[in-house]
Amino acid sequence: MKIARVSLLKNRWILITGASSGFGAAAARAFGGAGAKLLLGARRMERLQQVAAEAKKAGAGEALFHELDVSKTSSVEAFMGWTKQKIGGQKSAVGGVQVLINNAGGAHGLDTVAEGKDADWEAMMQSNVLGVLRVTRAALPLMPRDAGASIINIGSVAGRQAYEGGAVYGAAKAGELHIARTLRFELLGTGIRVTSVDPGLAKTEFSLVRFKGDSARADKVYEGTKPLLAEDIAEILIWIASRPPHVNIDELVVKPVDQAAVGKVFRRIAVK
Ligand code: NDP
Ligand code: 8X3
């Protein structure tokens, strides 16, 4: 039964933003393994090329990639023009974008509001909020109606729980969650499903980006604990996209068992 459902993703177009690392790259490999056809976007082209090769090796019907900066409308429009060309502008049950994964985003800095930097605030709002809006607006005309298509936003537990230094990232992820909730109203009757997946602590390049390349500081975030892995989230994305077409997973919070809440993590060794 499980295998039969996942096989429904075979040869379906899956669009993943932020596919050059972390959850997006793992999702590309996982959907590739299900025989899907992939449209991958991010800013780092070499990394995208590598992920596309891995996805193809895993079994992807196609693994196509194109530069995408979700913080720029012109880049999103160029990416979507390319997408339309690749999928042949079709909206039929097998031809359109079956799954849109709004994954591109992340945190920049961990400053308090009093110490916050405009550039960090703007980058977080651009990628996590405006990027999701831009990509969704451009992708919607390419998504088939009444065919089990899905929009999946990657939010965060940070959108549900405040923490010191997380005002803007949390506000952005709360915004992303609210966009998903709004889309469920606006798309009612189209058969397009909308989900927000809100992970907790996960080991990707997230902390390296947040701490601007300070790998020692990034490593400390995961020290002594067992975080989620990108593959854990990819598996969940496959499960969501392969539910029967009348089933919508609205919101899904997923944390490692070692995390009770943001900032409350069990560590198996003492951290200095
Ligand atoms: P990574 O840093 O490993 O991946 C982030 C991805 O987003 C990269 O592929 C990056 O690609 C892309 N990206 C960032 N900004 C842009 C942009 N402006 N335009 C296009 N692509 C962009 O981290 P994760 O995999 O962890 O992050 C994926 C999502 O998961 C993010 O939205 C993050 O907020 C969220 N999240 C992460 C958690 C964690 O603990 N790891 C927990 C909860 C949510 P490139 O730089 O090449 O453009
Ligand atoms: C990432 C989770 O706790 O670092 O979205 O904000 S957290």
Side-chain angles (χ1 to χ4, degrees), residues 29 74 94 96 187 251 268:
R29 291 188 290 266
S74 58
V94 289
L187 298 177
E251 296 173 11
R268 283 151 212 284

Side-chain angles (χ1 to χ4, degrees), residues 7-107:
S7 73
L8 293 176
L9 297 169
K10 194 171 165 63
N11 286 325
R12 299 300 174 101
W13 287 108
I14 315 292
L15 195 165
I16 305 172
T17 71
S20 59
S21 70
F23 300 161
R29 291 188 290 266
F31 279 93
K37 298 195 285 191
L38 308 173
L39 301 152
L40 310 174
R43 294 165 299 182
R44 289 171 296 174
M45 293 298 282
E46 274 177 29
R47 295 282 294 267
L48 273 185
Q49 187 172 17
Q50 187 188 329
V51 172
E54 289 163 3
K56 190 81 180 138
K57 201 169 164 197
E62 299 265 15
L64 311 177
F65 58 96
H66 190 278
E67 189 174 6
L68 170 66
D69 182 347
V70 299
S71 71
K72 295 187 172 66
T73 300
S74 58
S75 176
V76 172
E77 283 173 356
F79 182 87
M80 284 304 170
W82 167 83
T83 294
K84 197 170 174 178
Q85 190 203 337
K86 292 297 172 193
I87 69 174
Q90 302 161 54
K91 269 204 297 180
S92 73
V94 289
V97 173
Q98 182 73 10
V99 183
L100 164 62
I101 302 177
N102 280 315
N103 165 73

